Amino acid sequence: MKYTILTESSMWSTDTLKQKVERILNEKTRDGYEIVSVAFGVNMWWLPTAFITLRKNY
């Protein structure tokens, strides 16, 4: 089993970030990944950031 952690930030809005995350999740599930968790917060520059943990069985 392999885990992957992705981070995605948006300078403009949380709505833009939400759309980016939704696109990433749809793409990764099509590629066979299982979504472990999605968390929203801010990075060190106070930009809205999503932290996505994925898992894939090999």
Side-chain angles (χ1 to χ4, degrees), residues 7-11 40-51:
T7 58
E8 186 69 37
S9 296
S10 175
M11 294 178 72
F40 291 90
V42 293
N43 65 14
M44 60 190 269
W45 296 286
W46 292 94
L47 297 173
T49 304
F51 304 92

Side-chain angles (χ1 to χ4, degrees), residues 20-32:
K20 284 181 176 182
V21 168
E22 186 175 358
R23 180 186 48 77
I24 290 168
L25 294 177
N26 286 330
E27 177 184 306
K28 294 298 183 182
T29 54
R30 276 194 302 271
D31 292 343

Side-chain angles (χ1 to χ4, degrees), residues 1 3-5 12-13 15 17-18 22 24 26-27 30 32 36 38 40 43 45 47 49-53 55-57:
M1 201 172 303
Y3 287 87
T4 304
I5 299 173
W12 305 111
S13 74
D15 285 335
L17 179 59
K18 184 181 75 168
E22 186 175 358
I24 290 168
N26 286 330
E27 177 184 306
R30 276 194 302 271
V36 175
V38 178
F40 291 90
N43 65 14
W45 296 286
L47 297 173
T49 304
F51 304 92
I52 305 165
T53 306
R55 175 172 55 200
K56 189 168 188 178
N57 291 324

